[in-house]
Amino acid sequence: MNSKVKLDDLNVHFGGTHAVKGVTIDFPANSVTAIIGPSGCGKSTVLRAINRMHDMTPGARVSGRILLDETDIYGRGVDPVAIRRRIGMVFQKPNPFPAMSIHDNVIAGYKLNGRMRRDEADEIVETSLQRVALWDEVKDRLKSNAMELSGGQQQRLCIARTIAVRPDVILMDEPASALDPISTLKIEELIEELKERYTIIIVTHNMQQAARVSDVTAFFYLGELIECDVTKKIFTTPDRKQTEDYITGRFG
Amino acid sequence: MEREHFSRQYDAELNIIREKLLEMGGKVEVMLVNAMKALVERDTALAERTIAFDHEVNTLEMEIDDKCLEVLARRQPAGRDLRFITLAFKIVTDLERIGDQCANIAKRARELNAEPPLKPYIDLPRMAHCAIGMVKEALDSFVRGDDELAVKVCKDDEFVDQLNEQIQRELLTFMIEDPSTISRAIKVNHISKCIERIADHATNVAEMVIFMVKGKDIRHTIA
């Protein structure tokens, strides 16, 4: 499998805390990689490092390399804004822009980059909403405020906003943990469809979700990558005892 | 060392399945011992009781299947728990088939007891003794997670196969020499085949134990 994102000896420090310790891992292109592990294992920290979200955190230090198609995203002269356009992120809580319509939310990323023709904008809105299977539900009320949507719809809207700028990689931090089971299944179904076009890295606390949606699973513990393998192997016959204890609910 | 689950109830549910499997294994052992005794000692009443006893094994099969299904639905097991449950599902089928084979032996014993003895039974009890040992050890290896013992069971199958072939050759000579023995010889041959099958089921269990312990599928690799 082609690797899209590659972490090479990634370390993240917050002040005196060594949160991510020498992680080296490949995220294959057009696949879903799930990152699992107990709270505090560094999984969200790793995810955030991939689109340079620690840049603004006081006391945060990132070392090692993160390659996006051979380009070190922490390299000299690399613009973090350009990186974030190629590496989108979806958060745990749906966060549509509250003062904007559904239409404007989808196109918000584009608007930041300057004006565009209305028909062009409409086309991006329609395509993006179709890709997240929201178009049929909202096409007659695109001017409505985004906050009128249900939680599950809001999350799909946020994913539409992320893919509207045509990223290569989508990072998802617990994207379904604030949603009801049906909305969760819709998001999972969507992830399955999105991987045809994008490389997806998802952090989840829900191990069954990792087992359902991912092709590859990485298990982190105390800031270290313990094991990374195809999902079937991780959930049936993992190599490391720590992994096995965690996925079977025996972690001490 | 085996750690416990966060959920003690989960551990308890897995233990119930483990214990019921052992109980089922114990019952098929008794069935085989009694079926052979009914044959060798020409005890038709014991043969009848053995045939009736199969019902208890069948009931356990259904109980274990039901419990496994419940754990799958409620716990979504992973890793070694998933291997254990899928293994339990398969072991239970092998044990149930062993019970059926024992009932078959008892049925043939009942028929043979109604006729004059064909010959003294020497190799058949030896073969049955080995098969019982295999069933016992397969279950022991399962309980203890002992893959070395499981490998031994797989190897013992060879011995049972050889005895089966030897018995078949011997019966063939009987039948050629004296066609009046044919009907009885076919029944004895059937018993020999049943024991051979029982050893095969024990081997299946042992192979699955190796998968449970090692996570490695060795089926169809040991000659």
Side-chain angles (χ1 to χ4, degrees):
Chain A
M1 276 191 282
N2 275 341
S3 119
K4 186 77 189 173
V5 178
K6 194 191 269 271
L7 312 191
D8 182 15
D9 195 25
L10 179 77
N11 286 276
V12 182
H13 288 83
F14 295 114
T17 312
H18 197 175
V20 175
K21 299 170 186 163
V23 170
T24 296
I25 182 174
D26 278 4
F27 296 102
N30 298 101
S31 315
V32 180
T33 303
I35 302 182
I36 60 169
S39 297
C41 71
K43 54 191 188 300
S44 290
T45 308
V46 166
L47 197 72
R48 282 150 192 268
I50 299 174
N51 73 349
R52 294 190 54 167
M53 285 183 62
H54 301 304
D55 286 14
M56 310 301 254
T57 316
R61 229 164 0 124
V62 178
S63 67
R65 295 192 307 160
I66 297 184
L67 302 176
L68 170 64
D69 291 330
E70 307 302 319
T71 307
D72 185 354
I73 68 165
Y74 284 88
R76 270 168 201 271
V78 173
D79 175 11
V81 177
I83 288 301
R84 289 184 200 126
R85 207 172 296 141
R86 291 186 63 195
I87 305 179
M89 182 131 181
V90 176
F91 297 87
Q92 178 174 356
K93 236 181 127 219
N95 55 354
F97 298 120
M100 285 186 193
S101 67
I102 294 169
H103 178 281
D104 290 353
N105 255 284
V106 177
I107 212 71
Y110 258 94
K111 281 202 166 162
L112 289 174
N113 298 326
R115 296 179 64 83
M116 66 194 322
R117 290 212 321 273
R118 175 178 280 189
D119 57 343
E120 200 185 335
D122 287 349
E123 197 191 317
I124 290 170
V125 169
E126 180 171 346
T127 317
S128 305
L129 288 173
Q130 267 170 348
R131 273 190 201 152
V132 300
L134 194 57
W135 175 250
D136 288 337
E137 293 166 47
V138 302
K139 63 182 176 203
D140 299 324
R141 47 177 172 139
L142 292 172
K143 297 288 170 219
S144 306
N145 187 291
M147 303 313 281
E148 290 171 20
L149 298 174
S150 73
Q153 288 173 324
Q154 286 183 18
Q155 191 63 307
R156 279 181 285 149
L157 177 64
C158 293
I159 297 173
R161 186 178 66 196
T162 305
I163 62 176
V165 294
R166 301 197 183 94
D168 293 326
V169 179
I170 304 175
L171 308 175
M172 297 184 166
D173 195 354
E174 301 269 1
S177 60
L179 305 179
D180 67 273
I182 299 296
S183 305
T184 298
L185 290 177
K186 283 187 183 168
I187 297 287
E188 290 179 4
E189 175 74 12
L190 179 57
I191 291 171
E192 183 69 31
E193 282 166 23
L194 291 175
K195 78 173 181 193
E196 277 183 28
R197 292 167 189 276
Y198 313 98
T199 298
I200 297 172
I201 306 171
I202 175 173
V203 161
T204 176
H205 265 126
N206 181 333
M207 280 185 274
Q208 275 75 42
Q209 181 169 66
R212 282 193 298 266
V213 304
S214 69
D215 303 295
V216 174
T217 297
F219 170 58
F220 280 73
Y221 184 55
L222 298 176
E224 287 178 56
L225 172 64
I226 303 298
E227 185 169 356
C228 177
D229 213 321
V230 292
T231 297
K232 182 191 165 199
K233 177 147 172 40
I234 293 288
F235 284 94
T236 55
T237 53
D239 286 332
R240 303 286 301 268
K241 188 171 185 309
Q242 277 169 305
T243 315
E244 173 118 51
D245 283 343
Y246 183 69
I247 56 143
T248 55
R250 289 184 172 87
F251 218 80
Chain B
M1 212 194 83
E2 180 88 352
R3 283 189 182 188
E4 291 184 344
H5 286 96
F6 281 122
S7 162
R8 277 201 219 150
Q9 183 58 32
Y10 189 3
D11 276 328
E13 286 163 12
L14 293 175
N15 269 334
I16 288 173
I17 294 171
R18 197 172 284 123
E19 278 161 19
K20 278 191 187 291
L21 276 172
L22 284 181
E23 187 187 344
M24 196 172 168
K27 283 191 195 289
V28 299
E29 266 176 58
V30 169
M31 276 182 85
L32 183 51
V33 170
N34 286 343
M36 291 308 293
K37 202 170 166 198
L39 174 77
V40 175
E41 296 178 8
R42 300 177 69 81
D43 184 343
T44 301
L46 183 59
E48 297 287 1
R49 287 203 299 278
T50 306
I51 295 163
F53 195 72
D54 193 30
H55 172 70
E56 290 192 25
V57 173
N58 293 345
T59 308
L60 269 171
E61 180 198 21
M62 290 193 287
E63 285 175 16
I64 295 169
D65 273 352
D66 188 57
K67 197 77 201 160
C68 287
L69 207 59
E70 186 186 341
V71 171
L72 277 179
R74 289 162 65 107
R75 305 284 182 186
Q76 289 104 42
R80 82 175 80 114
D81 300 327
L82 181 61
R83 300 204 298 274
F84 172 79
I85 292 288
T86 45
L87 177 84
F89 258 128
K90 299 183 104 186
I91 284 186
V92 96
T93 311
D94 278 301
L95 290 179
E96 193 272 334
R97 294 294 296 147
I98 292 176
D100 287 348
Q101 299 291 1
C102 294
N104 286 339
I105 295 173
K107 283 176 194 162
R108 295 299 87 76
R110 186 173 60 185
E111 292 159 10
L112 283 164
N113 292 351
E115 297 180 65
L118 178 68
K119 67 190 245 347
Y121 300 114
I122 295 158
D123 283 336
L124 269 185
R126 273 177 71 202
M127 198 177 158
H129 182 73
C130 184
I132 289 169
M134 285 172 71
V135 172
K136 224 180 158 71
E137 285 178 344
L139 283 165
D140 279 351
S141 72
F142 168 66
V143 177
R144 301 207 299 258
D146 183 344
D147 56 312
E148 283 175 21
L149 187 58
V151 169
K152 176 186 176 289
V153 173
C154 297
K155 288 186 177 151
D156 284 350
D157 191 38
E158 192 89 348
F159 176 67
V160 174
D161 286 347
Q162 280 168 6
L163 272 179
N164 178 45
E165 279 167 31
Q166 188 183 316
I167 288 169
Q168 285 188 27
R169 275 198 304 272
E170 203 184 329
L171 287 169
L172 201 61
T173 5
F174 260 86
M175 291 189 275
I176 293 167
E177 278 173 16
D178 179 3
S180 74
T181 62
I182 287 178
S183 144
R184 282 170 292 164
I186 286 176
K187 285 171 189 147
V188 175
N189 183 31
H190 185 199
I191 291 176
S192 178
K193 293 279 296 176
C194 287
I195 300 172
E196 190 263 335
R197 283 284 167 78
I198 289 171
D200 285 347
H201 287 298
T203 307
N204 285 351
V205 172
E207 285 172 343
M208 288 183 273
V209 169
I210 294 169
F211 173 64
M212 181 182 75
V213 178
K214 295 277 215 193
K216 202 172 115 195
D217 196 342
I218 58 127
R219 284 177 300 173
H220 313 297
T221 55
I222 295 181

